[in-house]
C-alpha cells in the first residue's frame, strides 16, 4: 500500500517528474546519473523522515512555491550552461525541499505512529520506483544523443536543442505553478 502511495505521489505530482527530467537531461554518463539521482534520493529521504517523525513541519504554502522555483532554477541553468557544474550539490539541496513536499503527502495519509517505519520505507521505495519509471525511458535517449560517433557535432547540437526545448517548457510550466502556489 505504501509503495503504491509513493508511486502515485510521483505520477500525481507532475512537479517532481519535471524536476527529475530537468536533472536527467543534463546528465552525460551513467556515473553522473547515479551521482545526481543518489544526491536527490538521500536528500529527500532525510527530510521525508524528519517530516514523518514530526521534527519538521513547514507549511505547503512555503514548500510548494520553492519546489516550483527549484524546477525553474535547474531548467534555466540547463539552458544557460551546456555543462552545469556542481549539480550533485544543487540536487541535494533541492532534494531536501522536495522531501518536504513528499512529507506533506505522508501527512495526508494520517497513519498512526505504529505504522511510521513501514510507511517511511514503503513510501520512499514507491517514490524511487516512480522516479525510476521516469528516468528509465528518458536517460537512454539522452545518452544516445551524447554518444560520440561520426557526426557527433550534429548529435551534440540535437542534444542541445532538445535540452533547451525541454527546459524552456519546464521553465514556463514551473513559472505558472510558482504564481499559482504563491497566490493560493
Amino acid at each position: 500500500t505504501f509503495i503504491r502511495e509513493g508511486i502515485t505521489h510521483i505520477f500525481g505530482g507532475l512537479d517532481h517528474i519535471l524536476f527529475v527530467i530537468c536533472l536527467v537531461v543534463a546528465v552525460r554518463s551513467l556515473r553522473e546519473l547515479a551521482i545526481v539521482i543518489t544526491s536527490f534520493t538521500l536528500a529527500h529521504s532525510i527530510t521525508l523522515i524528519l517530516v514523518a517523525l514530526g521534527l519538521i513541519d513547514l507549511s505547503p504554502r512555503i514548500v510548494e512555491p520553492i519546489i516550483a522555483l527549484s524546477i525553474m532554477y535547474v531548467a534555466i541553468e540547463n539552458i544557460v550552461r551546456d555543462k552545469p557544474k556542481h549539480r550533485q550539490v544543487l540536487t541535494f539541496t533541492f532534494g531536501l525541499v522536495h522531501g518536504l513536499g513528499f512529507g506533506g503527502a505522508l501527512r495526508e495519509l494520517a497513519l498512526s505512529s505504529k505504522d511510521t517505519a513501514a510507511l517511511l520505507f514503503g513510501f520512499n521505495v514507491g517514490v524511487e520506483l516512480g522516479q525510476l519509471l521516469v528516468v528509465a525511458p528518458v536517460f537512454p535517449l539522452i545518452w544516445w544523443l551524447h554518444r560520440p560517433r561520426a557526426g557527433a557535432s550534429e548529435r551534440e547540437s540535437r542534444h542541445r536543442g532538445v535540452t533547451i526545448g525541454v527546459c524552456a517548457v519546464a521553465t514556463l510550466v514551473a513559472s505558472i505553478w510558482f504564481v499559482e502556489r504563491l497566490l493560493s
Side-chain angles (χ1 to χ4, degrees), residues 67-112:
I67 289 173
L69 284 174
S70 73
I71 298 164
M72 289 168 51
Y73 184 92
V74 171
I76 291 168
E77 183 182 40
N78 287 346
I79 292 169
V80 173
R81 291 187 179 138
D82 186 31
K83 296 178 184 177
K85 296 180 181 179
H86 311 295
R87 185 48 67 91
Q88 67 273 15
V89 174
L90 181 75
T91 303
F92 185 86
T93 304
F94 287 149
L96 293 171
V97 175
H98 283 252
L100 294 170
F102 295 147
L106 280 176
R107 276 193 300 264
E108 291 174 14
L109 296 176
L111 297 171
S112 67

Side-chain angles (χ1 to χ4, degrees), residues 99-138:
L100 294 170
F102 295 147
L106 280 176
R107 276 193 300 264
E108 291 174 14
L109 296 176
L111 297 171
S112 67
S113 60
K114 69 180 174 81
D115 295 327
T116 302
L119 170 65
L120 281 171
F121 181 75
F123 189 83
N124 214 20
V125 167
V127 164
E128 295 312 313
L129 288 173
Q131 289 174 174
L132 183 60
L133 290 171
V134 172
V135 172
V138 171

Side-chain angles (χ1 to χ4, degrees), residues 47-58 103 106-107 116 120:
T47 48
L48 179 65
I49 290 167
L50 293 173
V51 168
L53 296 176
L55 299 173
I56 295 178
D57 186 22
L58 286 178
L106 280 176
R107 276 193 300 264
T116 302
L120 281 171

Side-chain angles (χ1 to χ4, degrees):
T1 300
F2 302 138
I3 291 172
R4 185 172 9 106
E5 291 293 335
I7 293 170
T8 300
H9 180 70
I10 289 295
F11 286 98
L14 296 178
D15 50 355
H16 300 298
I17 292 174
L18 198 54
F19 183 74
V20 169
I21 288 172
C22 286
L23 290 176
V24 172
V25 77
V27 168
R28 297 175 182 267
S29 69
L30 283 174
R31 182 180 182 278
E32 281 182 62
L33 179 67
I35 290 170
V36 166
I37 295 299
T38 301
S39 296
F40 185 61
T41 298
L42 288 174
H44 77 68
S45 296
I46 290 168
T47 48
L48 179 65
I49 290 167
L50 293 173
V51 168
L53 296 176
L55 299 173
I56 295 178
D57 186 22
L58 286 178
S59 168
R61 294 198 65 182
I62 295 169
V63 173
E64 293 302 320
I66 296 172
I67 289 173
L69 284 174
S70 73
I71 298 164
M72 289 168 51
Y73 184 92
V74 171
I76 291 168
E77 183 182 40
N78 287 346
I79 292 169
V80 173
R81 291 187 179 138
D82 186 31
K83 296 178 184 177
K85 296 180 181 179
H86 311 295
R87 185 48 67 91
Q88 67 273 15
V89 174
L90 181 75
T91 303
F92 185 86
T93 304
F94 287 149
L96 293 171
V97 175
H98 283 252
L100 294 170
F102 295 147
L106 280 176
R107 276 193 300 264
E108 291 174 14
L109 296 176
L111 297 171
S112 67
S113 60
K114 69 180 174 81
D115 295 327
T116 302
L119 170 65
L120 281 171
F121 181 75
F123 189 83
N124 214 20
V125 167
V127 164
E128 295 312 313
L129 288 173
Q131 289 174 174
L132 183 60
L133 290 171
V134 172
V135 172
V138 171
F139 182 71
L141 174 62
I142 292 166
W143 181 76
W144 178 79
L145 289 171
H146 277 298
R147 280 181 46 162
R149 283 190 173 174
S153 60
E154 176 188 334
R155 210 171 261 152
E156 194 65 26
S157 67
R158 278 191 285 167
H159 174 265
R160 189 75 186 130
V162 168
T163 298
I164 290 171
V166 166
C167 291
V169 170
T171 301
L172 176 64
V173 170
S175 298
I176 293 167
W177 286 339
F178 175 72
V179 171
E180 287 177 347
R181 293 169 181 188
L182 206 56
L183 298 177
S184 67

